[in-house]
Amino acid sequence: MATAREYLADWMMPHMWCSGCGNGIVLGALCRVLAELGLGRNEVVITTGIGCWGKADDYMSTSAFHGTHGRALPAATGIKCGNPNLTVLALMGDGDGATIGGNHLIHSARRNIDLTAIVVNNYNYGMTGGQYSGTTPAGKRTTTSPAGNPEREFDLCRVVAAAGAPYVARATVYHVTLMERLIKEAIQKKGFAFVEVASGCPTHYGRLNKIVGPVKMMEWFRDSAVRLGQGEGPLVIGKLVDEDVPDFLERYEALRANTAVDTERDTGR
Amino acid sequence: MGKIRFIQGNEAIAEGALAAGARFYAGYPITPSSEIAEIAARRMLEVGGIYLQMEDEIASMAAIIGASCAGSKSFTATSGPGFSLMQENLGLAVMAEVPCVVVDVQRSGPSTGLATKPAQADVMQAKWGRHGDQEIIALSPTSVQECFDLTVKAFNLSERFRVPVILLADEIVGHMRENVEIPDEVEVWPRRLPTVPPEEYRPFRPDADGVPPLAFYGSEYVFHITGSMHDETGYASNDPKNAQRKVQRLHDKIHKNRAHLTFVRTRIPPEAKVVLVAYGVTARSARAAMEMAGPGVGLLELVTLWPFPDEEVREALAGGKVAVVPEMNLGQVGREVSRATSAEVVGVNKANGEPITPYEILDTLKGVM
């Protein structure tokens, strides 16, 4: 059985992420989970779009598909339909998953295609220099909201839950054990499983919002996250939705079995 | 012996795709291509394939690329505005060298235009709709039979050259009904799979013809596919030499294999002084106009639009012949004929959502003969 290390493309190191970035923490968790689940590197396909977390596939030794900005989910959808035996993971940042790809996110959740979507939310566009995204909180500063963000932010987990995803969970890069458990459950979940990982971008978001340095970012997550059922707040962490409903391919096959006769009659074939 | 069916062009396209082995369709409905989606939705249930109605054309294009990588022959169908939305991921398919077929049943534009009326104005969009230097294959059917035959050919060329192939149909061939012979079996070009041991597989290392073998996700091969600049391993590379080599190879694998993918039909009497250059449904009016005009007129039908059949056009127009190019746009292929030859080019152009009649072509022929 492969060790966590073997899922890492160590020949691609050093990685390009800034010091203090949370992406490496999520990548490490993901590699450990794949090892625990004993999945072959050829049985897993990672899809990504563009952005800092969208570079994650470069550092993975599994099969991968690095597509266009915001399109990791529809590509993953096609891959899953092309070979339903594959474990397909879509890794997206908040730009990819929530902003340019927001339409794909809600429809993938509604369609309930059997995928795991992991959105690493660092509240801004890190790759292009720290502009505001669909998850940048109202009033927060970025390079394109110098006086504060005039727009309101998505609560991604609520959006995805409302769109019908059977599994929705949130962790932060401070809560690594929880994150690993949630990612593992999400991969094992049949249907569209969504994990949001709140992550720090000390280079852009932290610096502009006076949370200076990686340690301060970690303390911010430690102090602002609230475990599910233990209070209110914008950053409730834990498993928020866990339901059992037939996924898209299951429904499709059931309908195929039921409608074969009708189809013949309708077309006169 | 196959069976003869009296069907619509759009149905022939869907049947051609299934005959070629397509088992995945992802699309977003748009007139005048919608029947392809409707037939695919029904027929995929019957043949064990999957029909997916995506949230938009961007997602549709991404999904067919993904399905193809996972081993399912895939296609989508759209019309002008939807084709515009597909350009982003069509570029990805070119860069990542993923076979798939995109059917564009052309309609009037720009923008929503005369939404359901025919046009042939996506010729340049097919070639240059994406950013970056790249080559693409585009085929243009003139009849319902050809809707079937060229769809099969599109899949075969796509697999053979690891490139997305565009079937540039138009509203008229898409919606007209004709007898079509559907053979029991068609020639299917199988995907060239790697033969090396898994650890030696490089998804972007070309064979002698410039085309790399492509494995399936889930097979014993582990590999990366990417739209970012990459080396033979499929991992990102910013090396300028590698980038130049990659872009050049994308060009060369089409251009150096032109003999396998450039199709034209030529009927040029020895005494012809004028040659009609036509494609798609307009070629039918050109045929009729040629009959009416007499032996001074020849006809060159372009089945392959991209890569543009430069040599065939040059040859057909040699000896100071005049080219008359009827097309339902303001001169997209006419300009290509001018680029390829020194011949005088006279266009018969119409962009009002109506077909070009044989008489309109005849009028122009009389003027130049």
Side-chain angles (χ1 to χ4, degrees):
Chain A
M1 193 171 288
T3 63
R5 187 67 188 260
E6 288 169 57
Y7 294 94
L8 204 63
D10 50 10
W11 65 92
M12 294 295 284
M13 299 299 152
H15 59 72
M16 51 73 73
W17 293 323
C18 305
S19 57
C21 172
N23 287 348
I25 300 172
V26 190
L27 190 73
L30 187 54
C31 289
R32 289 191 292 277
V33 168
L34 292 177
E36 277 174 40
L37 293 173
L39 289 162
R41 294 189 298 114
N42 65 328
E43 296 174 295
V44 178
V45 182
I46 305 278
T47 73
T48 55
I50 306 298
C52 296
W53 181 232
K55 292 282 283 181
D57 64 286
D58 271 354
Y59 310 126
M60 301 282 297
S61 69
T62 64
S63 280
F65 182 96
H66 181 76
T68 43
H69 192 25
R71 321 299 174 207
L73 280 172
T77 300
I79 291 167
K80 186 70 185 180
C81 290
N83 183 349
N85 296 322
L86 290 165
T87 296
V88 186
L89 310 173
L91 309 183
M92 302 166 287
D94 45 296
D96 243 13
T99 318
I100 188 170
N103 196 30
H104 310 311
L105 182 66
I106 56 175
H107 286 283
S108 301
R110 176 186 62 79
R111 188 175 292 126
N112 194 19
I113 190 88
D114 182 22
L115 306 168
T116 301
I118 301 173
V119 169
V120 174
N121 182 4
N122 67 2
Y123 304 96
N124 77 143
Y125 289 110
M127 180 69 89
T128 46
Q131 298 82 14
Y132 70 86
S133 81
T135 63
T136 305
K140 294 296 179 185
R141 287 176 198 270
T142 67
T143 53
T144 48
S145 56
N149 182 13
E151 300 182 18
R152 293 181 300 165
E153 73 279 12
F154 269 136
D155 179 328
L156 282 185
C157 287
R158 283 173 63 187
V159 168
V160 175
Y167 187 93
V168 180
R170 186 191 281 128
T172 82
V173 288
Y174 178 84
H175 303 85
V176 178
T177 316
L178 173 70
M179 185 210 311
E180 262 183 62
R181 181 163 62 77
L182 296 175
I183 291 176
K184 189 174 175 183
E185 277 186 7
I187 292 175
Q188 290 174 306
K189 184 76 188 179
K190 183 94 169 151
F192 186 79
F194 179 80
V195 181
E196 178 189 355
V197 181
S199 176
C201 177
T203 302
H204 299 300
Y205 188 77
R207 185 170 51 83
L208 289 168
N209 289 289
K210 302 197 164 46
I211 317 170
V212 179
V215 174
K216 283 278 180 236
M217 294 233 74
M218 279 296 188
E219 288 171 354
W220 175 50
F221 290 126
R222 181 195 64 197
D223 298 339
S224 54
V226 180
R227 297 249 175 189
L228 184 66
Q230 296 181 5
E232 298 288 309
L235 205 56
V236 174
I237 58 172
K239 182 162 59 173
L240 308 174
V241 176
D242 190 358
E243 292 166 354
D244 288 315
V245 284
D247 73 295
F248 169 79
L249 288 174
E250 224 173 301
R251 281 184 196 271
Y252 194 84
E253 291 311 324
L255 291 166
R256 191 202 305 276
N258 288 341
T259 57
V261 177
D262 289 351
T263 309
E264 246 166 55
R265 188 190 57 214
D266 290 353
T267 56
R269 277 196 194 93
Chain B
M1 181 62 200
K3 51 183 175 295
I4 306 289
R5 289 177 57 196
F6 183 66
I7 55 174
Q8 209 185 44
N10 281 344
E11 184 167 8
I13 289 168
E15 291 298 337
L18 290 164
R23 290 297 178 270
F24 183 76
Y25 178 99
Y28 187 89
I30 179 169
T31 308
S33 75
S34 298
E35 293 86 358
I36 301 173
E38 290 165 0
I39 294 158
R42 198 175 279 271
R43 294 280 282 129
M44 285 299 179
L45 287 169
E46 294 175 347
V47 300
I50 293 176
Y51 169 89
L52 247 186
Q53 193 155 301
M54 298 301 287
E55 51 273 21
D56 55 33
E57 287 87 348
I58 299 171
S60 307
M61 195 63 220
I64 66 166
I65 294 169
S68 179
C69 292
S72 193
K73 271 194 192 179
S74 61
F75 75 119
T76 187
T78 189
S79 187
F83 191 47
S84 300
L85 289 181
M86 287 177 182
Q87 295 296 340
E88 175 200 51
N89 283 324
L90 202 46
L92 169 64
V94 171
M95 182 63 146
E97 301 184 71
V98 179
C100 55
V101 171
V102 176
V103 180
D104 175 12
V105 185
Q106 298 167 90
R107 73 183 210 187
S108 154
S111 190
T112 311
L114 299 160
T116 61
K117 304 288 185 195
Q120 294 177 304
D122 294 346
V123 177
M124 284 297 161
Q125 188 181 197
K127 170 70 175 126
W128 295 117
R130 303 155 299 286
H131 62 286
D133 288 293
Q134 52 188 281
E135 289 302 322
I136 201 126
I137 300 172
L139 308 174
S140 166
T142 59
S143 65
V144 180
Q145 181 71 52
E146 231 177 12
C147 283
F148 181 90
D149 296 343
L150 291 186
T151 302
V152 173
K153 205 181 269 291
F155 275 95
N156 287 345
L157 293 172
S158 178
E159 292 291 342
R160 183 168 180 181
F161 297 109
R162 259 185 85 170
V163 67
V165 174
I166 297 163
L167 186 78
L168 264 184
D170 55 68
E171 188 274 337
I172 303 173
V173 288
H175 279 160
M176 68 163 61
R177 284 172 191 273
E178 290 180 309
N179 271 346
V180 175
E181 187 191 341
I182 299 189
D184 295 329
E185 256 182 75
V186 298
E187 188 196 354
V188 172
W189 188 276
R191 182 171 297 184
R192 194 187 318 164
L193 297 168
T195 52
V196 296
E199 62 278 11
E200 285 173 28
Y201 177 51
R202 302 287 177 268
F204 296 96
R205 178 180 292 165
D207 283 349
D209 62 355
V211 186
L214 179 60
F216 298 144
Y217 287 141
S219 66
E220 57 179 337
Y221 294 94
V222 176
F223 60 99
H224 276 217
I225 288 282
T226 175
S228 287
M229 189 52 73
H230 49 270
D231 61 19
E232 290 183 348
T233 66
Y235 280 85
S237 163
N238 288 337
D239 174 24
K241 275 190 200 144
N242 171 71
Q244 182 74 30
R245 194 164 54 231
K246 165 83 189 189
V247 175
Q248 189 66 50
R249 184 172 64 74
L250 291 179
H251 176 89
D252 289 350
K253 75 173 179 177
I254 303 300
H255 278 265
K256 291 190 174 166
N257 288 299
R258 291 173 76 104
H260 302 293
L261 52 90
T262 305
F263 311 104
V264 298
R265 278 185 293 263
T266 312
R267 277 165 64 200
I268 303 177
E271 58 269 53
K273 294 277 178 281
V274 179
V275 174
L276 283 159
V277 182
Y279 59 98
V281 73
T282 307
R284 300 166 72 112
S285 293
R287 284 174 209 160
M290 180 192 173
E291 298 298 334
M292 292 189 276
V297 176
L299 173 61
L300 171 66
E301 294 185 26
L302 308 178
V303 179
T304 302
L305 287 179
W306 301 114
F308 195 72
D310 284 20
E311 286 165 36
E312 291 77 1
V313 167
R314 209 155 31 231
E315 202 177 305
L317 292 167
K321 295 190 185 72
V322 175
V324 171
V325 187
E327 50 184 335
M328 284 187 276
N329 62 50
L330 297 184
Q332 298 191 16
V333 161
R335 202 176 297 124
E336 283 298 299
V337 174
S338 293
R339 184 192 52 72
T341 69
S342 54
E344 183 191 345
V345 177
V346 180
V348 182
N349 303 106
K350 218 166 163 181
N352 64 354
E354 288 177 357
I356 296 173
T357 66
Y359 298 102
E360 287 167 317
I361 298 173
L362 194 61
D363 281 348
T364 303
L365 285 175
K366 282 177 183 159
V368 296
M369 277 170 79

